[in-house]
Amino acid sequence: MPESERKSGLFVVPGDRLGVIEEFTSGPGTYVEGGTIHSKVTGCTLLDMLNKQVSVYPLVKSATVPQVGSIVTAMVSDVKNKNAVLSIFKVGDKTLSGFFKGMLHISGVSHGYVDNMFNVCKAGDIMKAKVISTENRSFFLSTADNDLGVVHALCSICGHVLQPGNRGMGCSNCGNNERRKTSPDYGKDITREVEQSES
Amino acid sequence: MKANKKKPKKEGEKMTSKKSEKLIDKKGIRLDGRKVDELRPVKMEVGVLPNADGSAYLEQGRNKILVGVYGPKEAHPRHIAQQDRAVIQCRYHMAPFSVDERKSPAPSRRDIELSKVIREALEPAVFLEYYPRTSIQVYIEILQADGGTRCAGITTAALALADAGIPMRDLVVACAAGKAGGKIALDLMDTEDKVGEADVPVAFMPNLNAVTLLQMDGNLSVDEFNTAVDMAIGGCKKLYEIQKEALKSKYVSEGVKEE
């Protein structure tokens, strides 16, 4: 990019030269190769003349993967005594094109003592959880926070949607009582997420 | 029709003396009316498949190529996953109707080899280390083939990767040069490739000035080879401008709508 053309809002594609490291520091969406700053995404340039920083605001949707600390939405695919296996289909607000497998161990369910995973979630539930580790080939999840836990659950006898009641979760159809580690978001704005996980 | 290359080549060798002269006439005009250093007409489009994370479509002469990209997503089978980076899974596939005689849709030896060289041409451009334990899937469908599909496949795949929002060091752009009718020519088409003497596909990262794929099929002298590579890189640079325009025409108009 010639010096005269340097301004914010220019359209760039991956690889485009944005400047040299003597002029700018490399901001988000850019990388440095041999003293030159290049764009690494398709987007618009942003020049921060105050901090002498050049960055690229992406116009493409960003490729998303779960990272330590991200809040994910996942469907429970298998529950064992001390472990549950979850299929992560949403990271933050972004729906993934595939699934990532996540593990929820009983020690990460809540701050208090939990004796059995079956009192936390059942296969088919939708949960909100936080990624606590990506080591050892899997995403390890935790629901030990007030706003995390099951957000959608079905009765294991008749398949109707469970309603939170005084004693755990109650089924309005057959009167069955079950226990879950629920999130305060239980039942809110969930229809769309259920559709996504089923499609 | 490179799959059946051996047979036509033998026939071609017999006919070389007759046919080579016809490939390029005295004025330097080729069978399809191009000059020796001229590309076929190219059309590129980005984001043509709503179900894929990224996609691109390319027409180069009579080549028609569609690429869909998925990912980064969980690698399956799990043993292919790498702890420190993503893996690219690339499938080059020719549709049964892409050539004159029906091609079996099963992956041939040639398809598997091209999948590998295309993957290796794209890998240096992608920031694979950002997405450990995942795979990025690149599906290249050749809908119609007329020579130089590996190059056109790489050019299209790079666009689709950029459309998927995968961070890249540079776009990759590929173009072939070769020797047909005794002269070095750019962007060989099917007949020139089969009857002609040699073919040199080159994949190139224009901003980093780096070559990611270089092959040669046939025989060239050192001088001829150098001319062919220079000519191919020249073709790559022209194609790169079209690639940029294709991305711009998708994203700039969308950006205006959002505002």
Side-chain angles (χ1 to χ4, degrees):
Chain A
M1 210 192 308
E3 198 148 344
S4 55
E5 281 177 29
R6 273 184 204 137
K7 58 181 184 195
S8 289
L10 284 177
F11 178 79
V12 289
V13 299
D16 274 348
R17 285 196 186 92
L18 304 172
V20 290
I21 47 172
E22 283 85 356
E23 308 170 276
F24 299 110
T25 54
S26 153
T30 67
Y31 73 98
V32 179
E33 174 81 39
T36 321
I37 303 172
H38 298 265
S39 167
K40 63 184 175 193
V41 287
T42 310
C44 283
T45 54
L46 282 175
L47 289 189
D48 183 350
M49 283 318 205
L50 228 67
N51 300 313
K52 293 278 177 204
Q53 191 187 51
V54 60
S55 46
V56 175
Y57 175 78
L59 290 172
V60 286
K61 59 176 184 309
S62 61
T64 330
V65 288
Q67 267 156 359
V68 175
S70 40
I71 303 292
V72 298
T73 313
M75 191 167 84
V76 181
S77 52
D78 190 23
V79 187
K80 297 251 167 63
N81 235 341
K82 304 285 174 201
N83 264 312
V85 179
L86 284 78
S87 303
I88 301 165
F89 61 88
K90 207 170 170 188
V91 178
D93 295 331
K94 284 188 180 125
T95 308
L96 301 167
S97 69
F99 294 100
F100 284 100
K101 208 167 112 184
M103 299 282 284
L104 175 62
H105 187 252
I106 197 154
S107 59
V109 166
S110 105
H111 293 300
Y113 175 72
V114 182
D115 61 341
N116 196 325
M117 207 64 184
F118 294 100
N119 293 333
V120 174
C121 59
K122 289 210 165 80
D125 291 359
I126 310 267
M127 294 185 94
K128 258 191 191 171
K130 192 169 157 187
V131 180
I132 49 169
S133 163
T134 60
E135 302 284 307
N136 299 322
R137 308 189 59 190
S138 187
F139 294 101
F140 288 91
L141 307 173
S142 161
T143 56
D145 225 333
N146 277 336
D147 52 344
L148 302 175
V150 176
V151 289
H152 177 78
L154 298 178
C155 170
S156 56
I157 294 175
C158 68
H160 277 73
V161 179
L162 291 177
Q163 301 297 339
N166 303 342
R167 253 184 233 167
M169 313 286 288
C171 174
S172 53
N173 189 48
C174 65
N176 176 38
N177 263 315
E178 292 187 24
R179 290 178 68 190
R180 292 287 196 280
K181 198 283 180 190
T182 49
S183 152
D185 296 339
Y186 185 88
K188 282 177 199 161
D189 193 31
I190 202 66
T191 11
R192 208 179 25 190
E193 281 175 20
V194 174
E195 275 166 18
Q196 277 166 359
S197 72
E198 281 166 359
S199 65
Chain B
M1 278 280 279
K2 272 199 180 162
N4 303 329
K5 191 144 195 181
K6 274 194 177 153
K7 277 184 203 164
K9 194 116 205 188
K10 272 181 195 162
E11 289 162 22
E13 276 162 16
K14 276 183 217 161
M15 300 194 297
T16 308
S17 52
K18 269 192 262 171
K19 197 138 192 190
S20 282
E21 286 166 29
K22 282 186 188 167
L23 281 179
I24 298 180
D25 72 8
K26 284 174 191 164
K27 289 174 190 164
I29 301 295
R30 288 147 77 173
L31 289 175
D32 53 358
R34 283 184 289 158
K35 291 181 205 121
V36 283
D37 58 348
E38 204 174 328
L39 288 167
R40 288 174 279 190
V42 187
K43 199 181 103 185
M44 296 186 200
E45 208 175 319
V46 177
V48 287
L49 305 171
N51 289 353
D53 290 334
S55 60
Y57 175 72
L58 172 139
E59 283 178 21
Q60 185 169 12
R62 284 166 58 207
N63 285 327
K64 291 185 179 172
I65 294 169
L66 193 55
V67 175
V69 167
Y70 289 93
K73 51 160 74 174
E74 199 162 78
H76 282 291
R78 290 196 75 185
H79 68 84
I80 65 161
Q82 297 287 331
Q83 281 303 295
D84 53 344
R85 63 193 151 91
V87 289
I88 294 183
Q89 290 177 292
C90 179
R91 190 184 79 145
Y92 168 97
H93 181 245
M94 291 178 91
F97 47 80
S98 62
V99 282
D100 296 339
E101 209 165 311
R102 180 184 182 273
K103 186 203 166 285
S104 162
S108 63
R109 197 198 126 99
R110 175 178 172 270
D111 286 2
I112 294 165
E113 184 189 316
L114 289 195
S115 303
K116 177 192 169 280
V117 298
I118 293 173
R119 187 190 79 223
E120 288 177 355
L122 296 172
E123 268 171 352
V126 180
F127 282 96
L128 294 173
E129 61 272 27
Y130 288 3
Y131 304 104
R133 292 185 297 279
T134 61
S135 86
I136 297 166
Q137 293 159 354
V138 181
Y139 295 102
I140 301 171
E141 280 306 308
I142 312 296
L143 304 178
Q144 188 166 287
D146 188 35
T149 51
R150 82 188 66 189
C151 292
I154 291 169
T155 310
T156 324
L159 276 179
L161 283 168
D163 182 43
I166 295 166
M168 291 166 84
R169 291 187 176 83
D170 200 350
L171 290 173
V172 188
V173 56
C175 184
K179 192 177 172 190
K183 277 184 186 162
I184 305 295
L186 183 65
D187 192 15
L188 300 185
M189 59 178 217
D190 197 37
T191 328
E192 292 169 327
D193 189 14
K194 270 190 218 133
V195 183
E197 291 91 325
D199 179 28
V200 184
V202 178
F204 184 63
M205 295 197 282
N207 288 297
L208 303 179
N209 201 29
V211 170
T212 63
L213 167 89
L214 179 60
Q215 295 183 306
M216 181 164 79
D217 178 12
N219 294 315
L220 289 177
S221 72
V222 175
D223 285 345
E224 283 171 337
F225 176 76
N226 288 335
T227 325
V229 171
D230 288 345
M231 198 181 245
I233 288 177
C236 287
K237 284 176 180 163
K238 282 182 204 159
L239 286 170
Y240 176 63
E241 296 305 317
I242 306 170
Q243 258 186 335
K244 279 210 282 197
E245 279 309 307
L247 281 168
K248 195 172 180 177
S249 63
K250 181 179 178 204
Y251 286 108
V252 171
S253 56
E254 263 188 18
V256 171
K257 265 180 225 163
E258 276 168 23
E259 283 163 15

